[in-house]
Amino acid sequence: MELDDLYQQIILDHNKKRAGYGLHPGGFPSHQYNPTCGDELTLTVRLSEDGATITAFEWEGKGCSISQASASLMTSEATGMSVIEFESFANGFRDAMRSRGTIALSEDEYGDLAALSGVSKFVARVKCAMLAWVAAEDSLILTRESLN
Amino acid sequence: MELDDLYQQIILDHNKKRAGYGLHPGGFPSHQYNPTCGDELTLTVRLSEDGATITAFEWEGKGCSISQASASLMTSEATGMSVIEFESFANGFRDAMRSRGTIALSEDEYGDLAALSGVSKFVARVKCAMLAWVAAEDSLILTRESLN
Amino acid sequence: MSQFTPEKSAAIRAEFPQLSETVSGHPLVYLDTAATSLRPRLAVDLESEFALRHTAAVNRGAHSLAAEATEAYDDARASIAAFVGARPNQLVFTSNATESINLIALAFQLASAVGSPARFSLATGDEIVVSEAEHHANLIPWQEVARQTGAVIRVAPITDGGELTAEAVKSVMSDRTRIVAFSAVSNVLGITNPVRAISDLGRGAGAIVVVDACQSAAHGHLDVESYGADFVVFSAHKMYGPTGIGALWGTTKILAEMPVVLTGGAMITRVDYDSSDYLPAPAKFEPGTPRLTQAIGWAESLRYVESIGVDAIAAHEEALGADLLAGVADIPNVRILGTADAVHRVGLVSFAVDGVHPHDVGQYLDSRGIAARVGHHCAQPLHKRLGVDSSTRFSLGMYSTSDDVALALAALADVRTFFGEG
Amino acid sequence: MSQFTPEKSAAIRAEFPQLSETVSGHPLVYLDTAATSLRPRLAVDLESEFALRHTAAVNRGAHSLAAEATEAYDDARASIAAFVGARPNQLVFTSNATESINLIALAFQLASAVGSPARFSLATGDEIVVSEAEHHANLIPWQEVARQTGAVIRVAPITDGGELTAEAVKSVMSDRTRIVAFSAVSNVLGITNPVRAISDLGRGAGAIVVVDACQSAAHGHLDVESYGADFVVFSAHKMYGPTGIGALWGTTKILAEMPVVLTGGAMITRVDYDSSDYLPAPAKFEPGTPRLTQAIGWAESLRYVESIGVDAIAAHEEALGADLLAGVADIPNVRILGTADAVHRVGLVSFAVDGVHPHDVGQYLDSRGIAARVGHHCAQPLHKRLGVDSSTRFSLGMYSTSDDVALALAALADVRTFFGEG
Ligand SMILES: Cc1ncc(COP(=O)(O)O)c(C=O)c1O
Ligand SMILES: Cc1ncc(COP(=O)(O)O)c(C=O)c1O
């Protein structure tokens, strides 16, 4: 396992850039916590008025470069997706992360997120990469529940 | 370790003979218990009026041949001893039992009790051989306390 | 009769180096598997190898060694769970079955002290049902619960033949029954109890049902779900695994309801000076550095058991056990504890020899190389119930052979003569 | 600087096979001994050998194997006790230090529920003193005690430099102080606390004093008596011993007063269906089948430590630790947790790297073969107190060398550059 598999330049950049960073009031924020390292992240998914499309991800939190870059890259790549699209997008991402290096994210589908493919070889870091995604899925559930 | 070291004929005989068997009312009986096997033994030491001499051992109990023979042999060999004599006699017996085969009981001093020498090689059985002796020492203490 | 071919038996025995030791100058005949089983070499070797080359802190830190150790530990839990038909999250590691039962008992004590959670809170007059045949491990913890909470122990009678029936359990149940705790197989009687029927009775009445599976695990197919209980406990060292590790299995629901008992690191999410939040089971019950190499070794032992075949082992032990039982029954002046006619038995028989104390019986057997267990086998009340203080026990494992049985029976037949009773 | 000659170091390292493993293509530099220490071959080998050739039930049965196992187990206890300056009857085996503390905490919970024995019964408003620097293992069990009994946790402050003084402990004590629990050495700070002074304060006030000696055991001479406490706890796996075993040391008096917590077989004298009588310590606290091979392995590990010399190891680790500390302090933008100027430290340093998260620091170090611990090290509140969420830690063992230190420092110096912070 090479360190550069994990820390591609795009990741180091997004760790600093942090697209979507900053929470605004309202919405249904989800707070996620990683007990091993104490990292945490709060994220709100914003939907279009008809509830069908993701218009924004807003998040704040502290954590390692993988967790920060993953949140930032998700924001960059998934903003504008329909909720349905995002769900399968997130499933695909999770499958790749859990694959222990056997599934790579295609650049066609995942764009810059493909840079996170290497994480799946570092089992201890998969949770870091998933933190923002778990928060997004949870925020979507909270949003949907509020509609019922 | 040979089984005959442990079970000399004298022991097998005393396991049946059980000198001193039968408790009578009065005195200061001591009850001893071996938690590993559930064996128990109650023994009363009877002293002469001046409290100096052991006139009898009375005991009842159930247990293995070693514990029964040890009580019976103690009765045979130590009845009539002075309390002081018995104390050092019992100490010598204990030392031999705990010696892991390095100290043999002399026939001159211990008579038929010397047949128990072999027990000391069988660590798990030392407690059995000591049961009556611990009871005797305890009964003596109880008796002495009653005099104070 | 052995169900294994001589070749098969020889191959199995070669995996257990202790079987080539001698005792009192005779090749060891190990008939004490019910107390603790011998260890297969490949499992011990794997455990050493792990200790020597892969030691690292589990669930902590990002370094590769730690990640690998964590994975190995999780895999071990998953494979032990699979062996007993459980999901990994339902399997809590403990030190031994005794500790497993204590965790449950302590949960009751802790909850009762504060009155919550309700399911684990007992009040004066609530009832705890155990059987007359329990090991001390499945009796004394309940006595402590009773002592603290004012609950009452109700003892389900066994028959004179040692059998526990669902009716007997029912006879001591009432609308105050809150706990039903009993063993799948008594370690003295070897008789298989009607576990499912008793569990159904207990759970049907709203009680929490605890099954002590120490003697049924690894001697036949164990599917914890099929017991229909809330909790099932067992120990690795009776399943060809190491000392120092055992398990508490619980349904997902009951483990979620059960309050924490032991606390500390590795079972928390957030900790402040005043209070802390806990992870879900099994982590919730496993504070501190885990039994890492023991879990690895246990899992490997069970893999070995599976490679031979659980059903094949059960058939082998049952057939050999029948011979053993018949052989002991044939020896004059030897009394078997518990009926020899029970429909289902494991390969285990306890007995009393007329006129010869079990310590002496055991010593004599030992002089002929036979390792048998003597004493009350941690079941004093059961022995009293059966009219003896202690007994001698032969118990079989996967490595036992017809020769072992023959040698044990021959020696047993000579015991009374040796002690001048014959 | 290493206090061992290169030959001596090489001989020690040869005894720890894991040191010849590679990580990320580099020879392993193991700097995580404070989490769990590597295992010497001779101790692991002895443990395997015992498991493979001498397995038998301890404290039970008359067969020779069982008698031998019992003797070996008792001898192991005696030699571990001797290593820490204790008498064998004062040393209770547990699963780990966490469980040791929990036994004490549970004794308080159980006693408080029934109001007896008085020494272990707490009432609302009674106080439990801990320090700001405690491991979760020495904090959360007390929170549970407080939650149940209405007692209150009082936290003795450390200085910004991480030092705990007797005065600070005194400042939070009152006439309601019933328990004082603190670590001899924090696993994050590495600073040696004034244990005796704090114990004297606590016991002087009639409190029960509990010392967590996890990080002081096996890194220097440990004489439990000299701590002046009621209880001292430690874990084998931080002392070159196996996982799955630890100890609770208590004074003879306190162990006699302490109520039983875990119950079952092997700790009793007489058992009826209704109630039972218990043996004295340590048996009273050790129900069920003991951690046999683990005790044997632990004792052998300590024999190896003694063969090298406890004082020599302490001097070695202290000298090397001073280099490590100075080296880390010299790297720009790295902040050490706790003062670097403490008079007594063990070979351990935790730090934060500006702009780089500890997970990333650890991952980078790992890529250079260095096994360091990252995270909150089971001390979340302490990290918060020091203004960080988590940190990276280097810790030394008897096998650590100047090369290890140099490699770790060189890698650490490169971390910020790699992450574009340099
Ligand atoms: C100071 C301190 N206390 C307690 C513990 C807990 O030890 P264990 O996990 O072995 O129970 C540790 C180690 O993790 C420690 O360093
Ligand atoms: C039926 C039964 N229950 C409980 C136990 C206790 O097991 P352990 O000593 O491993 O905790 C045993 C074994 O001694 C047993 O046979």
Side-chain angles (χ1 to χ4, degrees), chain C residues 96-98 135 137 185 187 212 214-215 235 237-238, chain D residues 60 288-289:
Chain C
N96 51 29
T98 301
H135 188 280
V185 175
N187 63 314
D212 173 354
C214 278
Q215 295 297 340
S235 275
H237 72 95
K238 294 182 197 281
Chain D
R60 300 174 183 184
T289 302

Side-chain angles (χ1 to χ4, degrees), chain C residues 60 288-289, chain D residues 34 96-98 135 137 185 187 212 214-215 235 237-238:
Chain C
R60 300 172 182 185
T289 302
Chain D
N96 52 28
T98 300
H135 188 281
V185 175
N187 64 314
D212 172 354
C214 279
Q215 295 297 338
S235 273
H237 72 94
K238 295 183 197 280

Side-chain angles (χ1 to χ4, degrees), chain C residues 15-21 23-24 28 30 32 35-41 44-45 47-57 60-65 95-96 98-99 102-103 106 109-110 113-114 130-133 135-137 139-144 147-148 153 155 237-238 242-244 260-276 278 287-294 359 362-363 366 370-374 376 378 380-382 384-385, chain D residues 15-21 23-24 28 30 32 35-41 44-45 47-57 60-65 95-96 98-99 102-103 106 109-110 113-114 130-133 135-137 139-144 147-148 153 155 237-238 242-244 260-276 278 287-294 359 362-363 366 370-374 376 378 380-382 384-385:
Chain C
E15 197 57 41
F16 292 86
Q18 190 158 340
L19 292 170
S20 40
E21 297 283 305
V23 168
S24 317
L28 169 62
Y30 191 77
D32 201 13
T36 202
S37 45
L38 300 180
R39 309 284 314 281
R41 179 191 290 285
V44 174
D45 284 354
E47 187 177 338
S48 310
E49 182 64 15
F50 197 90
L52 288 175
R53 305 218 165 251
H54 306 284
T55 283
R60 300 172 182 185
H63 64 72
S64 323
L65 299 176
S95 301
N96 51 29
T98 301
E99 187 173 271
N102 274 278
L103 287 186
L106 285 166
Q109 287 176 272
L110 297 175
V114 295
V130 298
S131 91
E132 276 184 338
H135 188 280
H136 295 162
L139 174 61
I140 308 181
W142 305 119
Q143 291 177 352
E144 286 292 325
R147 204 171 60 82
Q148 180 198 303
I153 305 268
V155 184
H237 72 95
K238 294 182 197 281
T243 58
V260 298
V261 176
L262 306 169
T263 58
M267 49 88 71
I268 50 87
T269 59
R270 187 183 305 275
V271 180
D272 289 318
Y273 287 119
D274 293 335
S275 68
S276 306
Y278 304 134
T289 302
R291 300 157 181 90
L292 173 58
T293 63
Q294 289 78 30
H359 257 191
Q363 196 80 56
D366 189 70
I370 295 152
R373 173 89 186 268
V374 302
H376 52 57
C378 293
Q380 284 184 22
L382 172 60
K384 250 177 256 172
R385 164 69 179 84
Chain D
E15 196 58 41
F16 292 87
Q18 191 158 338
L19 292 170
S20 41
E21 297 283 305
V23 169
S24 316
L28 170 62
Y30 190 75
D32 202 12
T36 202
S37 45
L38 301 180
R39 309 285 314 282
R41 178 191 291 284
V44 174
D45 284 354
E47 187 177 339
S48 311
E49 182 64 15
F50 197 92
L52 287 175
R53 305 220 165 249
H54 306 284
T55 284
R60 300 174 183 184
H63 63 72
S64 322
L65 299 175
S95 301
N96 52 28
T98 300
E99 188 172 89
N102 275 280
L103 286 187
L106 284 166
Q109 288 176 271
L110 297 175
V114 295
V130 298
S131 91
E132 276 184 339
H135 188 281
H136 295 162
L139 173 62
I140 308 180
W142 305 119
Q143 292 177 351
E144 286 293 324
R147 202 171 63 81
Q148 180 197 306
I153 305 268
V155 185
H237 72 94
K238 295 183 197 280
T243 57
V260 298
V261 176
L262 305 169
T263 58
M267 49 87 72
I268 51 87
T269 58
R270 187 184 305 275
V271 180
D272 289 318
Y273 287 119
D274 292 335
S275 68
S276 306
Y278 303 134
T289 302
R291 298 155 183 94
L292 173 58
T293 64
Q294 289 78 31
H359 257 193
Q363 197 79 57
D366 190 70
I370 296 152
R373 173 89 186 267
V374 301
H376 51 58
C378 294
Q380 283 184 21
L382 173 60
K384 251 178 254 173
R385 163 69 179 84

Side-chain angles (χ1 to χ4, degrees), chain C residues 314-334:
Chain C
H316 173 72
E317 291 181 11
E318 200 177 316
L320 218 50
D323 293 350
L324 179 66
L325 194 68
V328 173
D330 271 356
I331 298 173
N333 301 306
V334 170

Side-chain angles (χ1 to χ4, degrees), chain A residues 55-78:
Chain A
T55 57
F57 294 95
E58 293 167 10
W59 61 277
E60 281 179 17
K62 49 197 174 176
C64 65
S65 57
I66 303 297
S67 70
Q68 303 292 297
S70 185
S72 176
L73 283 161
M74 178 179 78
T75 303
S76 302
E77 300 292 337

